[in-house]
Amino acid sequence: MVGTTHESLHRIFQKDPGLLTKALQKVLGVEFPEPREIAAMNVDLTEIEPVERRVDTLLRAETEEKTYLLVVESQGKTDDRKRGSWPYYLAYLHEKYRCEPVLIVITQSSATAKWASRPIQLGFPGWESLIVRPLVLGPDNVPVIEDEGEAVADPSLAVLSAMTHGKGRNAAAILESVAAALKTLDSDSAAAFAQFVDSCLADSRAKQMWRDLMTDIQYFWRHPLAEQVREEGREEGRAEAKAETVLQILEWRGIPVSLSVRERVKACTELGRLEVWARRALQVTDSAELFVGE
């Protein structure tokens, strides 16, 4: 289950990688070339030294001219340490993959967006050795989608709108339009997007409004988030929901799941072990890696 705003803000691009280039083109006005293919990559940037560094989401975008690495960082507040780690990420990725890295920051905060958009300049003033210019998506440039027809025409962009604008006087119209759009999607995609929205709603009234809207949509109540909403259920039910979450995370990331892995995950009734597998599912490149060391 998607449990935090931080996770949702970048993992939506793992669910729908095409939304990222769409946001760059339509929201930021960046003439980013249309990719022939976008694939999720391992987000682990850890070196041999015992220092662990990870980006939030890393995608490879193949265009007609060249290959780009799209580095997505969700940022809840200002953090000046990132002005050192972000250049490191980009330099490391360029050296490792020999592809052009592009940094995209997504946030729900206007103040954070303003901070993140400032160029990072390293070196002698006037002759910088490295300049990093993040592309920032936030409440000041992501469109407010309140029209149901517009949301149905582009559900993933409508979800992104709800994730960045789901509070204040526009919340009801935004959430109602997204709920209508989700009804047009397959149940797995709709359930994933429903969770992304739910975990990004900080306003308690907006969150309750969203959950009330979701009661009319059957797929939502078959999803693990239903356990959180109802706040009840047997231990067995919670284990089944967590096992389903593990498998869905792998599927959302495009990781093939063999029959043996699927059966082993579904057969597990230990919540603690399933929690470990869920965390591993966010990083592994092969589904069998869930059970490493066991």
Side-chain angles (χ1 to χ4, degrees):
M1 181 178 69
V2 180
T4 67
T5 296
H6 179 276
E7 287 297 312
S8 292
L9 279 173
H10 68 87
R11 279 179 52 200
I12 185 176
F13 297 114
Q14 296 178 11
K15 173 61 183 173
D16 184 359
L19 173 62
L20 188 54
T21 54
K22 188 185 304 176
L24 295 180
Q25 296 163 350
K26 294 185 177 181
V27 176
L28 298 178
V30 176
E31 295 183 2
F32 192 87
E34 196 64 35
R36 292 179 301 180
E37 178 187 0
I38 296 183
M41 299 178 64
N42 193 331
V43 299
D44 189 354
L45 305 184
T46 306
E47 296 182 2
I48 296 177
E49 292 83 357
V51 178
E52 189 174 273
R53 299 182 176 94
R54 297 177 187 272
V55 298
D56 288 333
T57 284
L58 180 62
L59 302 170
R60 184 183 67 249
E62 302 279 357
T63 73
E64 291 294 338
E65 296 181 356
K66 62 173 60 178
T67 299
Y68 293 93
L69 299 177
L70 305 181
V71 184
V72 185
E73 288 277 283
S74 61
Q75 195 68 28
K77 60 183 179 180
T78 61
D79 182 356
D80 285 334
R81 292 176 300 176
K82 289 299 181 79
R83 303 188 75 79
S85 59
W86 284 341
Y88 170 84
Y89 295 161
L90 301 180
Y92 176 89
L93 289 168
H94 185 271
E95 173 65 20
K96 181 175 182 178
Y97 295 105
R98 296 298 176 178
C99 298
E100 299 296 333
V102 179
L103 174 62
I104 300 103
V105 179
I106 181 167
T107 181
Q108 291 180 302
S109 164
S110 295
T112 302
K114 183 177 180 180
W115 163 83
S117 63
R118 299 201 322 261
I120 301 170
Q121 303 182 59
L122 304 180
F124 190 77
W127 196 269
E128 289 78 9
S129 301
L130 178 63
I131 300 177
V132 175
R133 298 176 59 202
L135 294 166
V136 182
L137 294 166
D140 295 328
N141 53 20
V142 173
V144 175
I145 298 180
E146 300 175 298
D147 180 74
E148 181 176 318
E150 190 177 351
V152 170
D154 198 338
S156 56
L157 188 60
V159 169
L160 184 62
S161 175
M163 291 165 65
T164 51
H165 297 286
K167 59 182 179 181
R169 58 186 181 86
N170 296 323
I174 293 173
L175 296 178
E176 287 173 0
S177 68
V178 174
L182 295 189
K183 293 178 182 179
T184 68
L185 302 178
D186 65 273
S187 59
D188 287 341
S189 294
F193 284 142
Q195 282 203 78
F196 290 146
V197 173
D198 186 272
S199 60
C200 284
L201 294 174
D203 185 285
S204 59
R205 290 172 298 180
K207 188 180 285 288
Q208 186 58 54
M209 183 190 309
W210 178 244
R211 292 181 173 180
D212 289 343
L213 287 169
M214 291 297 96
T215 59
D216 296 328
I217 303 178
Q218 186 178 7
Y219 61 72
F220 183 80
W221 296 102
R222 294 202 305 266
H223 201 271
L225 186 56
E227 293 297 321
Q228 177 182 330
V229 176
R230 290 191 290 264
E231 295 182 349
E232 63 184 20
R234 297 177 301 163
E235 188 78 5
E236 180 182 353
R238 291 196 295 271
E240 289 177 354
K242 181 60 67 175
E244 189 64 25
T245 297
V246 173
L247 297 173
Q248 287 185 344
I249 290 173
L250 293 171
E251 291 168 358
W252 294 341
R253 294 184 59 227
I255 306 297
V257 180
S258 66
L259 180 60
S260 61
V261 169
R262 185 177 299 276
E263 290 177 345
R264 181 170 176 179
V265 171
K266 286 191 170 184
C268 183
T269 58
E270 299 177 30
L271 278 174
R273 177 167 294 180
L274 288 166
E275 289 283 359
V276 171
W277 290 351
R279 290 194 295 270
R280 290 179 181 174
L282 295 170
Q283 305 295 338
V284 298
T285 57
D286 186 298
S287 61
E289 293 174 10
L290 289 177
F291 317 125
V292 170
E294 299 184 5

